[in-house]
Structures are given as C-alpha cells and as structure tokens.
Amino acid sequence: MDKKFKILVFIKQVPDTDDIKWTENNTIQREGLDSIINPYDLSAIQTAVEIKKYRVKNAEIIAASMGPAQAEEALKQAIALGADRAFLLCDRKFSGSDTLATAYTLSRFVKEKEPDFNLIICGQQAIDGDTAQTPASMAEKLNIPHINGCKSIEELTDNSITAISETKTSISKIKAELPALLTIDAKGTYIQPRINDYIRSQDTKIITLTSGDISADKERTGYAGSPTYVKKAYRAMKQRKNTIIEENYIEAIKNEITSAGGGQT
Amino acid sequence: MTRILVFAEISGDKEPSDEIISYCMKNFQNAEINAAVFTTNNDTHRLSATGLDNLYLLINENFLNYSTEIYKKAAVDFLKTHEHDIVLIPATPSGRDLAPGIASALNAGLTADCTEISLDEDNLLNATRPTYGGKLMATILSKTTPQFATIRPGALKFSGFSGKENTKITEIYPEIDCSKLKTSIISYTKKQNITDWANAQIIVAGGRGLGSKENFDLIYKLCEKIDAQPAASRCAVELGWADAAIQIGQTGSSVSPKLYIAFGISGAMQHIVGIENADRIIAVNTDRNAPIMKISDVSIPADAVTVLKTLINEFYV
C-alpha cells in the first residue's frame, strides 16, 4: 500500500468572543461562555478536506488540539467535518501556555507521534488571542518552512507545495519543500458535516495525550515554559462626552468636517 | 543602559517602523535606540540621519524581497552577536510573519500587535495589546531577553526624530547558502494604493448598516469631496463591499485622525479599539443602542444612507 500523505490540522477551542459578558469588576465572565472551534481553524480543516478530496489520493487528516478535556468536543467536530482521527493534548502541565510554550508542546506531539507528516495546516490566528504567532513559532521548532495567509494552493506534489499567499499589503506565490506548514485566513463560508462523518465522529475515540506521552520537558510547557505573562488586564474603553444630535445634524457634521480641515461647502 | 532594537522597513514599509523609532526616541531617552534594516547594498540609508545610536545594515542581494526563511536566519544570527534587551518589530504582515520565528529560535517571549509600550522602573518592556476580539487590554511582560514585541501600525504616533548626531553605522554581510533554502518566492507583488492611514486627517467609514455595496460606494463619493480616507468595518469587508486594505480594527489597522465618521457601523469592540485614538468620533446609525453610539463624541440617530447622500450634495469638489 502506498504511504499515506499525512496532513496535521491544529485546532483551538476558543470562547465565542462575540458573546462576552462582563462582571461588575470589568473582568470577563468566563463561566457559561460558549466555546467554539476557532473560525480560522474551520478554514484550515476545510483546506485539508479539499486537499484530500481533490489533490491527493491517499491523504489522511489528523486533527489535534491542546486544551482542557472539553476540547474533545471540538475534535469530534473536526472528525465530523472530515478529519480521520484526532488527538487531544491534555495535561495540567500544559495550562497557562503562551505561544512559545504552545509551539513547543505541539512540536513535541508532532515529533513523538506523527513525525512522518507531510503537511501541517493551521488557522492564521485565533479569535481569542489574535496573536497569529503559534504557527510560525512551531514551524521554527520543527525546522520546516511555512507559508502564511495561504489563499489558494497552486500545486501540490510529493515533495513540494506552491501556494498563493495574500496579505493586506502583498500577494506572493511561494514554493516550499515538504514537509511544510500553511496558515489559512478565515474563508467566511464553512463546510457542513456530512451525515456519515457525523456518525463516525460519535464512534471515534479521541486519543488523549499527556506531557509524558509526548516526552515534553516540563520546564518548557505551561506556565513554567512561558516567558510572557500578563501583568494586568483591563477593559478596553476610553470615555468621551457623548452628545446626541437629533436635529440639524447635517450642519453639525459639516462643521466638524470643516474644522478638521476637509471639504468646501 | 537598556538597548532597544527596531527591525525597520521590512518589505519597504517605512512608516510603521518610523513610528516606533520616533516613539522610542521621545519616550525612552535613557535607552540606546538602534535599528537594523535588511538591504541589498551599502548606500547611505535614510535612517542614518535620524538620531539613532546604531544603525545596522544587514546587506545581501537576497534581501530584495521579503522571505521568511532568509530574513529569519539573518535576524537570528544578528541578534546572537548583537545583544539587545528589547526588540521591536512593526506588526505589518511581514513583521508578524517574521517575529514569531525569530523569538522561537531564541526561545524568547513575544507579545503580538501591541498598541502601547512603556518601560517600567526596572526598565522592563510593558507591552499592552488588545485581546479577546479587542474587548480586553492586557499588559504583558517577558521573563526572557530579548523582550520581543510587534507594534501595530498607527498605534504609536509619529512625532519626528531626535536628529541626534553621531549615529554609528555598521555594515553586516550575512551569509546565505541558497542551496539549502526550502522556500522560493516565485512572484511577489506589492499591492498598490496601500492605505495611508498615518496622514489621514478625516476618515469616513461604512459598515453593514449601509445595506448594499451600492450604498457603500457613497462613502467613496463623500471622501472624494472632502478629501477624506475611506474605511470599512470587518462586516463590510466580509460582505465584499470593501477591500480588506481599508479595514479598521483588530487584524485591520488602528487609526488616529482628527475626525472619524462612522456610517452604519454598530461598533464591534475590535472596531472601537481601532478608532480609539481619533480626536473626534461621529457615529450615524438608526440603532440608538448600537455600541458605537455610546462611545462617540457625537451620535446621530438617523439613516446613514440618507445622511451620506445629503452630505455629498453639500460639498463642492
């Protein structure tokens, strides 16, 4: 049998940031916050599924996530969307990880469990942290090339990938040797689970891995392995004296425009 | 003395790194402010006369276009031999691509897309950034050196250079073994008409409340008449009414114009964080309870499209 073309997709379960509620002390009310798969990661899964369907005959999609036990739900969803199997990296030693510790932990998983991967696909960023740092940090740890903001794949062969990367300021066509890492911008439209995959997701056991299972150095994971820490956090808000103008507002706007130096009336 | 390094002009983007250098010169006067640029030649560089303590020219013909792999290796090697306490990188697309790889290679902490920076009593970098979709501000410190941060373009206001003399210029020639490269840039196109947020005095922005692409085009019309910069909310961009280049807010840009007028924008936190530095904010929205109506200087509960159309007729070109 041909060797499988292994695609690893890393996903993150995140709080639905559109639905955040505040406590009286202006801290985020964490209880009861809905958890969803980071939308960018849905696009990553979708890209993997498209590769399997249209580009590579013998592809296998492996989803993985680092998180608490409840992140198993997100991985089940990934299977329902087309992943073949899934791992949950779950250990108290992982909690409090910043992007460097996360990248280290994920890279340990790859090296220990799926070292013969061909491609890693990640969402470009997560909607809770918005740092967009973990994928590039992980690529460095794995010593593989990465292509950020992948818009489309032009060519995929056994040993290379050519992709169009689009950012706010540039469009480039990049060819990278495999194994490589791609990050995907949110596509805006998402695939739906197929019934068969949904049923399969309910029957598939998500394999849980601890720090020991991936031979992680405990000094490099979680709080201990995170060089950055939050000194303080506060609600973003700047108070302005708010005036409501119900009448003659056209005049009011015109005056504001003129005093800011714009236009001629 | 605290040594601060700015990776400047990555991908030719001058303004974002000028803002950082200017801010550091003004606010961190007891620190050494250095910059490193990737360049293809040793011609006199524009930053050599700005008042930096050190300007490092990293010179190689392969630096012509940004490449993660090539830039990363050169930056890591440079930082190993030229130690700094703090390394600041503009949070442009290339900067945000480059920074995590460098920090990871050095096993150092990195804070992403900061909108404020300061030094505390121990001269440690306090890097503040919006998180949770812009709803929470977090001030982040790093236990490792160098302390890395990427800085959001437009977040620190440019206020000139110190112009101090005696900038020491050092030429460095990183070696690149092209046979070992794993990536090749087949083509690279810089997008034209990159938005000039820094010089925009007035910004007129539209959101979902405008109802259609046709109505969104009224934003451009008004901008043309009053010499303003058009902008869009994330919703308007996702609906395909406007290009992502003019998106404001998280993953978009932060702006600081004299006047910001929002038409049909409800004001997701990420958008509000992006416009926080505007001197004046006017919001026009039929929904009195929209979040943006609460945080504006002036809120006008009216139909955004009607107001836009009326205003367009009020101004001559």
Side-chain angles (χ1 to χ4, degrees), chain A residues 11 13 35-37 42 45 71-83 193 197-198 201-202 206:
Chain A
I11 63 172
Q13 196 178 43
S35 290
I36 56 172
I37 291 190
L42 289 174
I45 296 170
E72 194 177 304
E73 281 305 309
L75 289 162
K76 292 242 174 197
Q77 198 182 333
I79 289 174
L81 291 170
D197 286 329
Y198 178 77
S201 76
Q202 299 306 302
I206 309 293

Side-chain angles (χ1 to χ4, degrees), chain A:
Chain A
M1 202 176 101
D2 287 348
K3 187 184 166 296
K4 282 189 171 155
F5 185 92
K6 276 192 189 177
I7 306 171
L8 307 183
V9 182
F10 286 102
I11 63 172
K12 184 181 187 186
Q13 196 178 43
V14 294
D16 186 347
T17 51
D18 283 337
D19 189 34
I20 280 178
K21 292 182 181 60
W22 296 89
T23 66
E24 282 174 10
N25 304 322
N26 277 341
T27 59
I28 287 177
Q29 173 113 44
R30 282 164 208 273
E31 295 85 48
L33 202 56
D34 278 346
S35 290
I36 56 172
I37 291 190
N38 175 39
Y40 290 84
D41 301 348
L42 289 174
S43 298
I45 296 170
Q46 187 172 347
T47 304
V49 169
E50 284 165 4
I51 290 174
K52 182 173 174 172
K53 206 167 164 188
Y54 303 116
R55 290 188 179 269
V56 185
K57 272 189 206 142
N58 210 8
E60 182 183 32
I61 303 171
I62 301 147
S65 184
M66 184 179 93
Q70 65 162 18
E72 194 177 304
E73 281 305 309
L75 289 162
K76 292 242 174 197
Q77 198 182 333
I79 289 174
L81 291 170
D84 294 291
R85 51 198 177 88
F87 290 95
L88 174 63
L89 312 182
C90 184
D91 194 315
R92 262 192 205 161
K93 295 193 187 83
F94 298 154
S95 69
S97 294
D98 70 0
T99 57
L100 185 75
T102 304
Y104 168 76
T105 308
L106 300 183
S107 71
R108 278 311 314 156
F109 158 73
V110 175
K111 286 176 182 173
E112 203 70 22
K113 296 293 171 188
E114 305 291 345
D116 57 343
F117 72 98
N118 300 81
L119 194 59
I120 295 178
I121 307 181
C122 302
Q124 189 175 276
Q125 64 204 66
I127 58 165
D128 54 350
D130 271 318
T131 71
Q133 288 178 171
T134 303
S137 186
M138 173 167 48
E140 168 62 29
K141 295 264 174 277
L142 293 168
N143 193 26
I144 58 170
H146 79 266
I147 302 176
N148 251 348
C150 172
K151 193 94 176 169
S152 61
I153 296 170
E154 295 269 295
E155 192 186 29
L156 184 59
T157 70
D158 285 344
N159 39 38
S160 77
I161 184 163
T162 307
I164 303 294
S165 153
E166 179 166 2
T167 70
K168 265 195 297 180
T169 52
S170 69
I171 299 176
S172 35
K173 189 194 244 187
I174 302 173
K175 183 175 181 177
E177 270 178 29
L178 295 183
L181 183 151
L182 297 185
T183 76
I184 311 289
D185 197 356
K187 290 186 195 292
T189 53
Y190 300 111
I191 42 169
Q192 297 301 320
R194 294 184 313 172
I195 299 236
N196 286 348
D197 286 329
Y198 178 77
I199 294 168
R200 190 170 53 84
S201 76
Q202 299 306 302
D203 298 338
T204 306
K205 186 170 162 38
I206 309 293
I207 299 165
T208 300
L209 299 173
T210 62
S211 175
D213 295 329
I214 57 169
S215 309
D217 175 350
K218 68 177 192 309
E219 296 303 317
R220 296 183 70 183
T221 60
Y223 284 110
S226 298
T228 61
Y229 62 96
V230 178
K231 184 182 180 183
K232 61 175 180 186
Y234 52 97
R235 193 170 178 177
M237 198 62 74
K238 181 174 164 184
Q239 284 305 324
R240 293 168 191 267
K241 189 172 161 283
N242 179 251
T243 314
I244 300 169
I245 303 183
E246 309 248 8
E247 283 165 27
N248 298 328
Y249 42 73
I250 297 290
E251 252 340 276
I253 300 176
K254 274 167 62 181
N255 289 338
E256 294 265 4
I257 290 173
T258 314
S259 40
Q264 291 176 335
T265 50

Side-chain angles (χ1 to χ4, degrees), chain B residues 63-90:
Chain B
F63 291 153
L64 185 60
N65 286 329
Y66 172 77
S67 152
T68 316
E69 188 177 22
I70 294 175
Y71 277 47
K72 179 168 73 175
K73 175 153 193 324
V76 169
D77 290 345
F78 168 72
L79 287 171
K80 282 180 181 164
T81 49
H82 296 75
E83 288 183 4
H84 281 83
D85 302 291
I86 294 170
V87 176
L88 304 174
I89 301 174

Side-chain angles (χ1 to χ4, degrees), chain B residues 28-49:
Chain B
F28 311 143
Q29 290 182 7
N30 294 324
E32 182 181 310
I33 315 292
N34 305 330
V37 289
F38 297 92
T39 173
T40 55
N41 57 61
N42 64 354
D43 293 353
T44 303
H45 196 276
R46 59 180 280 276
L47 289 174
S48 58

Side-chain angles (χ1 to χ4, degrees), chain B residues 146-166:
Chain B
Q147 307 156 72
F148 284 91
T150 59
I151 312 294
R152 182 184 290 195
L156 307 179
K157 264 193 179 170
F158 179 80
S159 58
F161 295 118
S162 70
K164 202 175 63 163
E165 287 179 8
N166 301 324

